[in-house]
Amino acid sequence: MAETLLKIENLKKAFGNLEVLKGLSTEIKVGEVVVMIGPSGGGKSTFLRCMNLLETPTEGSILFEGVDIVKADEKTKNRLRSDMGMVFQHFNLFPHLSILDNITLAPRLIRGKSRAEAETEAMKLLARVGLESKAKAYPQQLSGGQKQRVAIVRSLAMEPKVMLFDEPTSALDPEMVGEVLDVMKDLAKNGMTMVVVTHEMRFARDVATRVLFLEGGRITAEGTPEEIFERPHEGRLGEFLGKVKGDQLADADIAHAILKAAEDGVITVSEVEEVLAEAKRREQKAKGGAQA
Ligand SMILES: Nc1ncnc2c1ncn2[C@@H]1O[C@H](COP(=O)(O)OP(=O)(O)OP(=O)(O)O)[C@@H](O)[C@H]1O
Ligand SMILES: [Mg+2]
């Protein structure tokens, strides 16, 4: 049995009178890839932000390697924060710094690495995501997908023990989603512990070791991808899955299929029309299902 990295107990968070997290409990073990799904406003981002102390929980505890990070002093909090990499929907790269400087800044400042050492490691990480040629470029010269890969590398440069992702692909053009998901798959394969909020159901199905469904500030379903996706569900989870299967999943799948076919030079106009019609059918079916 793998050891527990994060243990969350009865986590609550309120903003004024609005109770957003209503007592979450779960454990994240070393090497797990936990995917969080659920309707908008359910508290997914707030949960992630509590985990790395961007928000202070109102109640409950978060044990990181056994240390309660909610009660820790500032110095301990900062140390623990730097052990958790966080990647957001918007890349938050420093616009006035080169890609290399974006990546090496924190390792130099916080980990006390020399410039040479930090740069050598940064170049290795950039090579891993296929971007070593962009080291001297500035963020505005990169595509969205490239920026997000750099944002991931920047987190990895701190050698985090866990990576938290909040909808890392939802601000990207469809043709760039795949390259970012590939980097995340590679991380997962190499044993990185990950918590990922995403609408990419195929990623969830293929990569997650566990799926959490969060709605109304509670985890209302939890299981392996098989348990969540391959079995019929009633109530909100069923409705939600019907919806995402109808749009995001179909859209992403179809966009990938079209691009792949275009790359291979085998797609024809009538085939494009066919896949679009199929997408429409799925959408209508999903709508019908949700109403039934
Ligand atoms: N800083 C804040 N102040 C006040 N309310 C907030 C704050 N952050 C989030 N909320 C509220 O908390 C609730 C949960 O928000 P959260 O962003 O965690 O949801 P989510 O599940 O990530 O949604 P989405 O899928 O749209 O990203 C929402 O009602 C939101 O308006
Ligand atoms: Mg969110």
Side-chain angles (χ1 to χ4, degrees), residues 8-11 23-27 47 210 212 219 222:
I8 292 120
E9 282 177 319
N10 193 32
L11 185 70
L24 303 182
S25 301
T26 192
E27 271 186 41
F47 185 29
R210 188 152 52 98
L212 302 183
I219 296 170
E222 176 171 359

Side-chain angles (χ1 to χ4, degrees), residues 15-16 18-21 38-47 49 55 89 166-167 197 199 214:
F15 295 103
L18 180 69
E19 199 177 34
V20 173
L21 302 180
S40 180
K44 304 179 297 296
S45 295
T46 306
F47 185 29
R49 292 168 60 81
E55 299 285 359
Q89 184 172 350
D166 195 356
E167 301 199 27
V197 174
H199 293 289
L214 211 147

